[in-house]
Amino acid sequence: MLGAMAAHQKKNDDSKTQPLMIPAAYGSFVLGGLAVYHFIANGEFSVIMTIAVMIQCLAFVLLTMKSLAEGSVSDISAKCLVLEALSFCCRLSSTTWLNGYLPVDASGDFIYQAVEFCSLLLVLWLLHRIYVTHSSTYRQDADSLPVLPIAAGCFIAAAILHADMNSRPLFDTLWMTGLFLSVVSVLPQLWFISKTGGVVQACTGHYIAMLAVSRALSGVFMWHARHDIICKPWMDGMNHAIWAILFAHALHLILLGDFGYYYIKAVMQQGLSFKIELPCADMV
């Protein structure tokens, strides 16, 4: 009985802590983004790419805070995080030593890569909690979407559609693979939600939403830089790489279209500490 009372008290404490953590996390990243924009990038437009990866990192910070506060990984898809980890590794294999896909401002010298590396560490730490320290709370039965064919398809598509910004086919392919993986990585999480009743708690919802915001900002930059993206065209005058990049960004937002509607509605009605109940038919 005492154990049950202690567990109930801990749950109440966690429910009070999370609403405070969410605005604190947002505020910290807003200040960090402004500092990078003004003091490092000197207001150059290309810093939007660095801001995008900072928002992506915020997504994983929010997911990490949820796991820590609840002492559980019950709402997290491990397969989603595996695809994200592969995505970061593919992109970092290029951006840590080649300049083809980096912002041209000073934030591309170190900050961009450092933020992506921090995101990778957060993802690996969450995977450690899922598979090792908190495996008893992992809902493996719901995390059932096959991801190996998805990952293989991303690599094959990247090998065909990659740009030539690095002038190194292997690393151009890896960067494009990383982009494609990051786009489809949301599918296992949406599948997981549909299999667990369609309920999305606040931090999980913010995590998915911040991934969408990050992708939207990245897409804006890629559209602006579309004339600078080069490739070895299949046909004269046809730059297949930039259209593949832009389509990938658009696809991510399309996949999250239904979720985005319910997310905005929940934030407007309930504030940042919302709970969304999604119609499961919209998610599969």
Side-chain angles (χ1 to χ4, degrees):
M1 182 175 179
L2 290 175
M5 291 175 62
H8 179 71
Q9 181 63 38
K10 183 179 185 301
K11 184 176 181 180
N12 287 338
D13 291 342
D14 292 342
S15 65
K16 295 176 182 177
T17 302
Q18 285 195 46
L20 299 175
M21 294 190 303
I22 293 171
Y26 276 117
S28 298
F29 272 80
V30 167
L31 291 175
L34 289 173
V36 170
Y37 178 82
H38 286 290
F39 301 118
I40 297 177
N42 294 319
E44 292 191 34
F45 180 78
S46 64
V47 75
I48 193 172
M49 284 290 287
T50 304
I51 300 299
V53 297
M54 292 179 69
I55 293 174
Q56 184 182 41
C57 186
L58 170 61
F60 295 111
V61 167
L62 290 166
L63 202 61
T64 299
M65 292 193 313
K66 172 181 172 59
S67 179
L68 283 172
E70 297 180 352
S72 168
V73 294
S74 60
D75 294 336
I76 302 175
S77 164
K79 292 183 177 180
C80 169
L81 295 180
V82 168
L83 291 179
E84 289 285 7
L86 290 173
S87 171
F88 284 122
C89 290
C90 287
R91 292 201 303 274
L92 285 168
S93 71
S94 169
T95 57
T96 50
W97 68 292
L98 296 169
N99 297 323
Y101 302 95
L102 289 172
V104 296
D105 61 86
S107 68
D109 295 337
F110 171 73
I111 300 296
Y112 182 95
Q113 301 92 326
V115 172
E116 288 230 297
F117 186 70
C118 288
S119 296
L120 174 60
L121 290 179
L122 288 172
V123 169
L124 293 176
W125 184 79
L126 284 168
L127 285 171
H128 181 264
R129 286 173 70 83
I130 289 172
Y131 287 120
V132 181
T133 60
H134 291 72
S135 58
S136 61
T137 65
Y138 171 46
R139 303 176 70 173
Q140 186 174 2
D141 58 326
D143 198 12
S144 56
L145 184 68
V147 295
L148 184 58
I150 294 175
C154 288
F155 180 78
I156 293 170
I160 298 170
L161 299 170
H162 69 81
D164 196 33
M165 298 297 290
N166 288 327
S167 297
R168 295 173 182 266
L170 174 60
F171 293 98
D172 285 312
T173 296
L174 287 174
W175 184 89
M176 189 73 91
T177 301
L179 171 62
F180 291 165
L181 285 171
S182 67
V183 167
V184 299
S185 66
V186 71
L187 289 175
Q189 186 66 52
L190 295 178
W191 179 273
F192 183 95
I193 291 169
S194 74
K195 295 299 182 183
T196 54
V199 176
V200 182
Q201 301 296 335
C203 280
T204 306
H206 289 300
Y207 154 71
I208 298 172
M210 289 305 100
L211 291 180
V213 173
S214 171
R215 187 69 56 217
L217 288 178
S218 176
V220 168
F221 175 81
M222 288 300 177
W223 174 258
H224 184 268
R226 65 190 183 280
H227 299 301
D228 300 317
I229 304 295
I230 61 174
C231 69
K232 295 179 180 178
W234 301 333
M235 298 181 295
D236 290 340
M238 175 64 178
N239 187 337
H240 59 268
I242 185 56
W243 290 112
I245 291 170
L246 292 175
F247 176 77
H249 284 78
L251 178 61
H252 190 125
L253 299 179
I254 291 170
L255 290 173
L256 295 179
D258 287 334
F259 171 82
Y261 166 77
Y262 291 108
Y263 172 81
I264 293 171
K265 182 179 177 181
V267 171
M268 292 179 65
Q269 293 180 349
Q270 305 174 44
L272 293 177
S273 302
F274 56 78
K275 182 173 77 170
I276 305 174
E277 295 185 6
L278 294 167
C280 291
D282 289 348
M283 307 303 295
V284 295

